[in-house]
Amino acid sequence: MLWRLSTLQTPYYFYNVSIINGSTYKEVDVVFSNFPTEREKLDRHGILFEVDSAGQLASFSATNLLIQLTTSLTLLAMATVVVNVMAQYVLKFRHYYQEALYDVTVDFSDLRRVHEMTDLQLETELRNRNLEPKPGPRQRRETQLLEAGFEPASGAASFGSAAGRSRSALAHPLQGEA
């Protein structure tokens, strides 16, 4: 429990009864039994009890807060894992769900080279590939060029490219090794 009852002391109650001089408790109501011809007047007298409570019934525990938070986050993570496993391996349309779960992106090994191009060079390269440059931010056109299979000229080495490995080996690094 995040809040626990204080068990160090036995709970106790203290009653302080006092009469307020000159005060009486009276309540008058008019009740219509058959409107508008008949009505009753209720004149009630009695004793009014007012109760005020004070004190501390519970205390805060930082340790219990951390336990509750970690348990909740673990439960959310496990729910995600269970849903993913069910979607990929158990359900009838698992092959469709597998395709939808993972977003395949372009090969970003030549991104630095594309990013260093001027706007004119970028648009010229897109038009040379019979592509109309997409409107919007420059990054959208850079991604469009990479999706079209852009490779820098053979003399220009791109940052992060592996020397001696073919483009297909970069796309699927484990397939060429036996």
Side-chain angles (χ1 to χ4, degrees):
M1 268 191 309
L2 184 58
W3 294 89
R4 61 185 165 92
L5 292 176
S6 177
T7 57
L8 300 176
Q9 297 178 352
T10 304
Y12 64 91
Y13 304 97
F14 178 75
Y15 298 103
N16 182 14
V17 180
S18 61
I19 297 174
I20 301 173
N21 292 329
S23 69
T24 59
Y25 184 73
K26 181 178 178 180
E27 187 176 287
V28 178
D29 283 333
V30 176
V31 178
F32 290 95
S33 54
N34 189 9
F35 184 77
T37 58
E38 296 178 20
R39 65 180 178 188
E40 290 181 28
K41 179 181 176 186
L42 301 176
D43 191 2
R44 296 180 273 203
H45 299 270
I47 302 172
L48 174 63
F49 290 96
E50 289 184 2
V51 179
D52 293 327
S53 59
Q56 183 177 355
L57 183 61
S59 62
F60 177 76
S61 171
T63 304
N64 286 335
L65 172 66
L66 289 175
I67 290 171
Q68 291 292 330
L69 287 175
T70 55
T71 303
S72 301
L73 292 175
T74 302
L75 181 61
L76 285 173
M78 290 305 298
T80 302
V81 168
V82 168
V83 168
N84 283 343
V85 167
M86 293 286 293
Q88 292 181 53
Y89 303 109
V90 177
L91 298 176
K92 179 179 178 181
F93 296 113
R94 62 184 169 270
H95 304 294
Y96 298 102
Y97 299 142
Q98 266 182 332
E99 289 294 320
L101 278 175
Y102 299 106
D103 188 17
V104 180
T105 62
V106 298
D107 181 10
F108 288 110
S109 60
D110 295 319
L111 178 61
R112 182 177 300 265
R113 178 95 163 108
V114 171
H115 187 70
E116 290 171 352
M117 290 178 159
T118 65
D119 286 339
L120 182 61
Q121 289 173 326
L122 183 60
E123 290 187 16
T124 302
E125 190 68 37
L126 285 168
R127 287 199 171 87
N128 288 344
R129 296 170 184 275
N130 295 323
L131 296 172
E132 185 63 32
K134 290 183 179 178
R138 177 185 165 90
Q139 292 84 0
R140 191 172 295 160
R141 290 184 294 281
E142 291 173 355
T143 306
Q144 182 183 13
L145 184 58
L146 289 171
E147 287 172 348
F150 172 78
E151 291 185 35
S154 60
S158 65
F159 178 77
S161 63
R165 291 176 70 178
S166 68
R167 173 71 60 183
S168 63
L170 284 174
H172 305 287
L174 299 178
Q175 287 183 347
E177 301 172 12

